[in-house]
Amino acid sequence: MDIFKNRRFIILGIFASFFVVFALHLFYIQIIDDSYEALANQNVIRNVTVYPNRGLIYDRNGMLIVENDATYEIFVIPKQVKDIDTALFCQLLAIEPQYFIDQMTKAKNYSRYVPSSFLKNLSVEQYASFQEHLYMFPGFYGDIRLVRKYPQHSAAHVLGYTGEISQKKLDAQSYYKSGDYIGISGLEATYEPFLRGHKGSKLILVDKFNREQGSFKDGIYDTAAISGHNLTVTLDIELQVYAEQLMQNKRGCVVAIEPSTGEILVMVSAPSYDPNLLTGRQRGNNYVMLQKDTLKPLFNRAISGGSYPPGSTFKSIMALMGLQEGTLQPYDVYPCFGGFRLGSHTVGCHDHVQLTDLSSAIQHSCNAYFCYVFKNIIDQSKFATSDEALAKWDSYLYSFGLGNKLGVDIPGENSGHVPTPKYYNNIYQKGHWKSSTIISLAIGQGELGITPLQMANMTCAIANRGYYFTPHFVKFIENDTTNFVKHYSGKNKTKVEQRYFDEVVEGLYQTVQAGTGRIAQIEGYEVCGKTGTVENPHGKDHSAFITFAPKVNPRIVVLAFVENSGFGATYAAPIASLVMEKYLNDTIAANRLFLEKRMIETDLIHPKVISSNEAP
Amino acid sequence: MRRRSLWADMDWLSVLLYALLVSVGWISIYAADFDGLRTGMFDLSTSHGKQILWVTVALVLAILIVIIDNKFYTTFAYLIYGLVMVMLVMIFFIGSEVKGNKSWFVLGGFSIQPSEFAKFATALAVAKYLSSQGANMKYWSTRFIVGAIILLPMMLILYQGDAGSALVFLSFVLVLYREGLSSWVLVGGGLFVALSLLSLAIDEKLYLVVGIVLVTTVIIYLLRKHIRIAMLVGAIAVSSIGYIYAVSYFFGKLKPHQKDRIEVVLGKLEDKKGAGYNLDQSKIAIGSGGFSGKGFLNGTQTKGNFVPEQTTDFIFCTVGEEHGFIGTMIVLGLFMALLARIIYISERQRSKFTRLYGYGVASILFFHIIINIGMTIGLVPVIGIPLPFLSYGGSSILSFTILLFILLKLDSDRLAVLR
């Protein structure tokens, strides 16, 4: 009766065939193909980078000058964001609505499921108030991030700054990942390998919203972050702050070095900036502001300013060369009738008393005297050509650390300029120049270019009577197995023998005792020094002063260089001597406080503005 | 006429399979719901807690179904059908929208989905009509009326926006086939689905056309002695080619997100975080289970909530991930055993009504199982319909319990029924 009864088998067959296909497919994806297992792990196991503490930096007296500050970074997972009070959100984070829109669009374009960075460098206080409302903003969460903090607000050029690694550097290596912080300038850049420490990693289980569910297999695959090495530097931060104060509202620099070690105690480049400006949220804006500033606060004049001629401070080197070459005797006297004339070449001189010997020539900074010294060196009969003579002259300069990079441990150093025979051959043609052509080199003018650090270092060589240590900032690196510091322990000898130095040092001593540098006298110390006034074709002359004390076994060398300020004795000498006094005595003598006040208050940058109200 | 205890002739094997499936479902819901904090089994704030409540309600309902006289179902088959159809219409006026589908009644704290109940109501109505005097699939009138009984709820549900539930009614084709619907319909249906998928999967339609022409030529050559059948095959081939172009034309008119879903299933689109997200994560969950699974409550995909709707439509993932190939085979085995048992039960009836109803039950369950599991393993597009007895949800567990227990009740009285 039921002719279709057999169709039950067809129906059962249809059922069974589907089940068999499913079973085979399940067999394939569950047993044969193991790629799903890898995908599942990729899903839930997040490899989280644990950032180490960056090494701290202390000054020579153990004072903390660079530390780490906790900030927060806000992340967003666009998929989870819904129904949030955008106005309140923007208000809590102090952002513009447009920023919110831009960041959300950026995040969405990147991925709707994967977190994107939304806002960086939120202070702990700001994050705290935001965190209270975090429950109202699904899809947002914060994560801690360490940034640099400079409690002394000082030494910006030396310390340098950190920032996110550039794409170019990123491509060249494998340790850093996009968004990692790296030292970009100053000590932060040089000692990056020590300061950075080593990143750790941990595997954590997360859910699809990236919420942590605990560590993977109780952390057996995790590696701890290793903190960076702490660094002790040679700076005397109190002295640095004081020098910066003296240099405020001026252009120029101050460099102080301990000559017996080459340790740099102070390096000021003015105008400077607070290093804290280049950390935190406003970093980008501040950087642009500093970069646009016509006074170039980001520029480290102390090592990068290669265009300064040394001026009269160079005369001591001239004298030392003459003595070493035997063309100058300490008791030599040359005529000075208000200058030096040779053919059409004239070098003017200022009024001074009758000279009696070399040290009185230094003391009174007689230009004519040193023109003769220079001419006698270059025109020696043992030299066949001017080329040969100048090459010899250059080699002396090189031995004093001029004309080449010194190798200080911060980037950006300029080599300065010591003119070579080839240089003059290019200008005048070979054989068409002689000592009189290049006579301005005698008094540290002309084509000479010396960085302030080189000038301070040259003074160290004089103070040490014939040698210097490469100037440097590193004093001690914690747990450093490579003993990096020893790179700076080698003596660099000058080509002038020790016995010739005493005459010159005596001249420098007399300069301060009774010459152009009298303002630099410090009670109880035999201070040596030399003023320099650097002719500046673009404006008012630069004022320079090199000094060291005590005369025997000197403890400190100071160079002050103040742009467009006139005579060396006006600003450079008082500033250098105040820094020196502060270092030697820890305090400024009562009778010199007026000087300190005047230096601090002097403003050489901002032109006086006469208010219209005061106008008659 | 024998009159024995209500329970004596109950098909206890089916009840056991039912109980096992519900248990597997509850364990999987517990695992999918588990958030690391152990809460009580009966915590009503959790899905597994609520599911216990629903299962209890379902059991009470099952007992009621068994207690009620079997004539109730035959007598009131049309009335039940009619009531559900009225509910489906009323939904347009007083229904509530849940997840984009306006297919729910919200009464107090409970929501009911009438489309779930339309399944057993339609099964009853189809059985009632086809077992009535004079109904025969030979006649166009019978075909037309039975078609209308099936298409009415289907269209109403489709109009609510719940395409998944509407498609379930296509499964009645198997019931009609058992009762004499031409094999051509089944073959035609298969051809229809195959051609649709192929024309979407293959961009260069010309290859498809060349393929059809080649196959047809071979078939016509083999059937050259039977001119009429050969001509029919030729006609089918021509209309198939036309159909292919029609499909690609209409596919072009679809909305982008609909296109995406189809293309992901066909493997033409790799979009792991977009339309393919559900599918991809669900496949990863099952695939990463391996042979014996990651262990109860140790599924990383499950724990991390990577698979959406995991207590409801994607419950099979939990089984696959935590219990592996063994788990999936047990669940497939239980379902296959239940379906085979239902066919066996249906065929042992003297009552045509019960047999028809039984086939209806088997077809509905089969369709749900194939679409749901097929979707979790990436063989079928994502169509949101629950896995019978396993998925979390009141309407789902209640409607499948009613569906099955009406059959078991009718079956337990098979010896009492003469007709």
Side-chain angles (χ1 to χ4, degrees):
Chain A
M1 163 186 155
D2 188 353
I3 54 163
F4 299 116
K5 198 167 172 71
N6 283 338
R7 285 194 173 181
R8 69 185 148 153
F9 296 116
I10 292 174
I11 292 172
L12 271 172
I14 292 171
F15 287 4
S17 58
F18 271 94
F19 275 79
V20 168
V21 168
F22 280 22
L24 287 175
H25 188 72
L26 281 165
F27 182 78
Y28 180 75
I29 67 169
Q30 292 194 292
I31 295 176
I32 308 285
D33 188 349
D34 51 11
S35 66
Y36 293 101
E37 199 175 336
L39 286 169
N41 284 341
Q42 214 177 70
N43 255 340
V44 293
I45 299 171
R46 196 70 74 233
N47 194 339
V48 177
T49 303
V50 185
Y51 286 96
N53 280 322
R54 197 172 169 85
L56 306 178
I57 302 181
Y58 297 92
D59 88 335
R60 64 189 299 114
N61 300 316
M63 202 188 272
L64 185 61
I65 50 179
V66 184
E67 60 182 329
N68 296 313
D69 197 16
T71 65
Y72 283 85
E73 186 167 358
I74 306 286
F75 292 90
V76 63
I77 301 162
K79 175 79 179 164
Q80 283 174 263
V81 179
K82 54 176 161 235
D83 305 333
I84 70 163
D85 182 346
T86 317
L88 177 66
F89 185 90
C90 292
Q91 187 201 326
L92 284 169
L93 291 177
I95 54 171
E96 296 295 316
Q98 192 54 46
Y99 181 85
F100 180 89
I101 295 164
D102 292 348
Q103 288 296 96
M104 282 304 286
T105 314
K106 231 166 87 184
K108 275 179 194 161
N109 288 342
Y110 174 61
S111 167
R112 293 175 61 73
Y113 298 87
V114 174
S116 295
S117 175
F118 184 84
L119 185 63
K120 282 176 179 163
N121 294 314
L122 210 57
S123 72
V124 178
E125 296 77 28
Q126 259 182 317
Y127 183 70
S129 67
F130 176 71
Q131 199 181 21
E132 282 173 29
H133 297 82
L134 197 59
Y135 71 94
M136 295 165 69
F137 309 120
F140 289 91
Y141 68 92
D143 205 358
I144 197 159
R145 192 87 193 250
L146 293 174
V147 297
R148 287 304 225 189
K149 188 177 173 186
Y150 306 92
Q152 310 295 334
H153 304 270
S154 165
H157 295 104
V158 176
L159 301 173
Y161 54 90
T162 57
E164 277 187 29
I165 186 165
S166 67
Q167 194 57 47
K168 210 173 132 194
K169 278 186 195 158
L170 200 56
D171 296 339
Q173 53 75 52
S174 62
Y175 174 81
Y176 299 97
K177 298 275 171 285
S178 177
D180 280 3
Y181 277 59
I182 186 173
I184 294 177
S185 75
L187 292 170
E188 296 276 22
T190 306
Y191 293 100
E192 171 69 19
F194 292 104
L195 292 170
R196 75 182 184 194
H198 210 276
K199 289 187 282 189
S201 70
K202 59 180 181 184
L203 299 177
I204 51 172
L205 286 173
V206 294
D207 67 4
K208 70 165 174 177
F209 299 129
N210 253 20
R211 286 182 302 219
E212 294 191 13
Q213 304 286 299
S215 68
F216 178 68
K217 295 211 171 152
D218 291 327
I220 57 168
Y221 300 117
D222 296 0
T223 54
I226 300 165
S227 293
H229 300 268
N230 291 344
L231 192 67
T232 299
V233 296
T234 61
L235 283 180
D236 180 329
I237 198 68
E238 281 182 33
L239 197 62
Q240 172 83 19
V241 170
Y242 181 65
E244 285 181 14
Q245 203 184 357
L246 293 171
M247 287 300 289
Q248 68 188 12
N249 294 320
K250 297 165 195 73
R251 258 178 294 175
C253 46
V254 174
V255 176
I257 301 176
E258 185 179 74
S260 58
T261 57
E263 292 178 0
I264 302 171
L265 303 167
V266 168
M267 182 181 279
V268 177
S269 172
S272 187
Y273 61 94
D274 182 344
N276 291 303
L277 286 175
L278 294 184
T279 65
R281 222 164 125 188
Q282 294 303 315
R283 181 180 182 280
N285 292 341
N286 290 337
Y287 187 83
V288 171
M289 177 194 84
L290 291 171
Q291 207 176 28
K292 281 186 177 162
D293 193 326
T294 52
L295 296 170
K296 295 190 180 173
L298 287 172
F299 182 64
N300 186 353
R301 289 150 207 264
I303 58 167
S304 308
S307 57
Y308 299 120
S312 303
T313 56
F314 189 67
K315 286 171 181 163
S316 336
I317 303 293
M318 223 51 253
L320 286 166
M321 275 191 253
L323 291 169
Q324 178 72 35
E325 283 292 306
T327 56
L328 172 68
Q329 299 305 321
Y331 44 78
D332 282 351
V333 176
Y334 298 101
C336 171
F337 305 107
F340 172 85
R341 277 178 207 89
L342 194 75
S344 60
H345 297 278
T346 305
V347 176
C349 195
H350 51 93
D351 284 341
H352 54 75
V353 297
Q354 183 66 43
L355 304 180
T356 54
D357 57 6
L358 167 60
S359 69
S360 72
I362 293 173
Q363 181 187 342
H364 299 290
S365 198
C366 174
N367 285 348
Y369 190 96
F370 289 98
C371 290
Y372 283 109
V373 173
F374 179 73
K375 184 178 180 299
N376 291 346
I377 295 169
I378 299 296
D379 294 350
Q380 286 180 84
S381 54
K382 65 176 180 178
F383 299 128
T385 59
S386 303
D387 283 31
E388 203 179 309
L390 187 67
K392 180 75 181 173
W393 189 83
D394 284 350
S395 72
Y396 278 103
L397 264 55
Y398 295 146
S399 80
F400 278 86
L402 308 176
N404 286 307
K405 288 181 184 178
L406 284 167
V408 68
D409 48 352
I410 54 176
E413 197 187 357
N414 193 307
S415 59
H417 186 242
V418 169
T420 57
K422 200 178 158 201
Y423 177 83
Y424 287 116
N425 286 340
N426 278 339
I427 300 176
Y428 303 110
Q429 290 181 349
K430 198 170 170 69
H432 286 75
W433 56 275
K434 50 187 180 176
S435 61
S436 59
T437 325
I438 56 174
I439 197 71
S440 43
L441 293 178
I443 55 165
Q445 300 285 357
E447 293 81 6
L448 265 181
I450 289 185
T451 70
L453 182 66
Q454 284 173 334
M455 206 185 289
N457 181 62
M458 169 190 100
T459 312
C460 285
I462 298 169
N464 287 338
R465 276 86 167 162
Y467 64 87
Y468 68 90
F469 294 93
T470 303
H472 58 278
F473 289 102
V474 65
K475 195 165 172 65
F476 174 69
I477 302 173
E478 187 189 69
N479 298 328
D480 171 27
T481 51
T482 62
N483 198 11
F484 184 83
V485 179
K486 76 167 188 285
H487 291 297
Y488 295 102
S489 60
K491 258 185 204 181
N492 302 290
K493 292 216 155 139
T494 65
K495 297 184 88 173
V496 178
E497 286 163 54
Q498 190 185 346
R499 59 190 165 117
Y500 297 117
F501 279 88
D502 287 337
E503 288 299 329
V504 172
V505 170
E506 183 59 28
L508 296 175
Y509 176 60
Q510 290 302 329
T511 305
V512 176
Q513 281 307 104
T516 52
R518 285 187 299 275
I519 198 152
Q521 288 171 20
I522 299 168
E523 188 77 34
Y525 289 94
E526 293 185 308
V527 179
C528 306
K530 182 77 197 78
T531 54
T533 304
V534 180
E535 287 171 19
N536 175 15
H538 308 294
K540 213 173 166 190
D541 291 348
H542 305 317
S543 134
F545 190 69
I546 56 170
T547 178
F548 63 90
K551 185 172 147 192
V552 182
N553 294 326
R555 287 170 54 198
I556 183 171
V557 164
V558 183
L559 155 83
F561 195 102
V562 184
E563 290 181 23
N564 311 114
S565 65
F567 290 115
T570 327
Y571 294 108
I575 287 171
S577 92
L578 284 166
V579 169
M580 176 178 275
E581 186 176 9
K582 187 87 172 175
Y583 182 73
L584 295 172
N585 288 343
D586 256 346
T587 167
I588 303 298
N591 64 342
R592 279 161 57 88
L593 285 174
F594 81 97
L595 195 61
E596 180 185 63
K597 184 167 182 280
R598 197 171 73 200
M599 289 305 123
I600 292 172
E601 287 175 356
T602 301
D603 185 343
L604 298 174
I605 291 180
H606 307 95
K608 301 269 181 300
V609 177
I610 300 165
S611 146
S612 57
N613 292 341
E614 290 168 28
Chain B
M1 196 159 68
R2 300 190 317 170
R3 212 35 169 155
R4 300 206 319 194
S5 149
L6 262 178
W7 307 98
D9 290 319
M10 194 75 179
D11 188 62
W12 289 105
L13 179 59
S14 299
V15 176
L16 176 69
L17 291 170
Y18 166 82
L20 285 172
L21 285 165
V22 170
S23 306
V24 170
W26 186 82
I27 289 168
S28 304
I29 293 165
Y30 184 85
D33 215 22
F34 184 69
D35 55 2
L37 304 166
R38 256 166 232 278
T39 50
M41 272 171 56
F42 302 101
D43 185 343
L44 284 182
S45 67
T46 63
S47 297
H48 61 266
K50 283 189 206 153
Q51 186 74 351
I52 285 200
L53 184 72
W54 287 121
V55 170
T56 312
V57 173
L59 286 178
V60 171
L61 211 62
I63 292 168
L64 274 174
I65 287 166
V66 176
I67 290 170
I68 294 171
D69 192 278
N70 67 41
K71 287 195 185 64
F72 174 84
Y73 307 107
T74 46
T75 313
F76 294 113
Y78 288 147
L79 186 66
I80 294 169
Y81 178 80
L83 278 174
V84 174
M85 292 310 115
V86 170
M87 277 162 75
L88 286 178
V89 174
M90 271 165 63
I91 247 177
F92 293 119
F93 305 107
I94 56 168
S96 304
E97 205 166 303
V98 176
K99 285 179 196 159
N101 293 341
K102 195 178 179 185
S103 55
W104 298 76
F105 279 126
V106 177
L107 299 169
F110 296 96
S111 2
I112 299 172
Q113 203 176 5
S115 55
E116 287 293 331
F117 301 97
K119 292 167 197 165
F120 85 85
T122 308
L124 282 175
V126 168
K128 172 90 179 174
Y129 176 71
L130 283 182
S131 62
S132 62
Q133 291 282 317
N136 192 320
M137 285 304 288
K138 280 193 295 195
Y139 306 134
W140 275 106
S141 58
T142 305
R143 292 177 190 169
F144 180 78
I145 290 170
V146 85
I149 290 173
I150 297 165
L151 283 175
L152 177 63
M154 193 172 161
M155 288 304 147
L156 287 171
I157 292 167
L158 194 62
Y159 200 65
Q160 289 163 14
D162 189 357
S165 294
L167 285 174
V168 172
F169 291 84
L170 288 179
S171 64
F172 281 102
V173 170
L174 288 174
V175 182
L176 303 184
Y177 173 70
R178 169 64 186 83
E179 294 310 314
L181 186 70
S182 165
S183 298
W184 284 107
V185 176
L186 219 53
V187 175
L191 198 65
F192 167 80
V193 172
L195 282 176
S196 306
L197 291 178
L198 282 173
S199 73
L200 291 174
I202 297 169
D203 281 325
E204 191 47 79
K205 305 288 178 274
L206 204 60
Y207 294 148
L208 213 51
V209 172
V210 170
I212 290 170
V213 169
L214 285 176
V215 171
T216 314
T217 314
V218 172
I219 292 173
I220 290 177
Y221 176 77
L222 292 173
L223 294 173
R224 62 189 182 280
K225 300 247 170 77
H226 312 272
I227 296 298
R228 287 186 58 172
I229 300 178
M231 278 171 68
L232 189 62
V233 170
I236 290 171
V238 170
S239 42
S240 292
I241 292 167
Y243 178 71
I244 287 163
Y245 284 101
V247 167
S248 59
Y249 173 76
F250 283 109
F251 181 74
K253 301 247 157 187
L254 283 180
K255 285 173 188 153
H257 74 272
Q258 293 168 321
K259 275 189 197 174
D260 284 354
R261 277 193 180 188
I262 292 170
E263 296 204 317
V264 167
V265 170
L266 297 172
K268 286 168 74 176
L269 201 66
E270 281 270 327
D271 179 12
K272 296 214 163 125
K273 300 274 178 185
Y277 181 79
N278 294 8
L279 174 59
D280 203 74
Q281 294 300 338
S282 127
K283 250 177 114 168
I284 290 172
I286 295 172
S288 64
F291 181 71
S292 56
K294 296 176 189 170
F296 181 51
L297 302 185
N298 284 330
T300 55
Q301 292 282 102
T302 305
K303 233 182 183 174
N305 287 325
F306 284 91
V307 186
E309 309 285 339
Q310 209 183 339
T311 54
T312 56
D313 293 348
F314 284 87
I315 192 70
F316 192 69
C317 294
T318 316
V319 178
E321 188 183 21
E322 298 199 342
H323 306 291
F325 187 64
I326 295 176
T328 55
M329 284 308 107
I330 288 173
V331 170
L332 280 184
L334 287 174
F335 274 128
M336 189 64 220
L338 184 65
L339 289 176
R341 187 69 192 170
I342 291 170
I343 299 295
Y344 172 79
I345 288 171
S346 308
E347 291 293 346
R348 76 182 176 189
Q349 303 302 323
R350 279 184 261 172
S351 151
K352 196 180 177 188
F353 175 86
T354 310
R355 183 180 81 217
L356 279 159
Y357 181 76
Y359 269 93
V361 173
S363 305
I364 291 168
L365 289 179
F366 173 70
F367 192 86
H368 271 270
I369 294 162
I370 293 310
I371 296 296
N372 182 286
I373 295 180
M375 150 183 106
T376 61
I377 60 180
L379 291 179
V380 169
V382 176
I383 296 168
I385 58 172
L387 187 59
F389 313 122
L390 269 75
S391 285
Y392 165 76
S395 293
S396 159
I397 191 85
L398 289 182
S399 74
F400 287 117
T401 303
I402 294 169
L403 189 72
L404 180 65
F405 275 84
I406 290 177
L407 175 67
L408 295 184
K409 166 65 185 171
L410 294 170
D411 173 61
S412 70
D413 284 339
R414 67 188 178 277
L415 299 172
V417 180
L418 293 171
R419 191 157 56 92

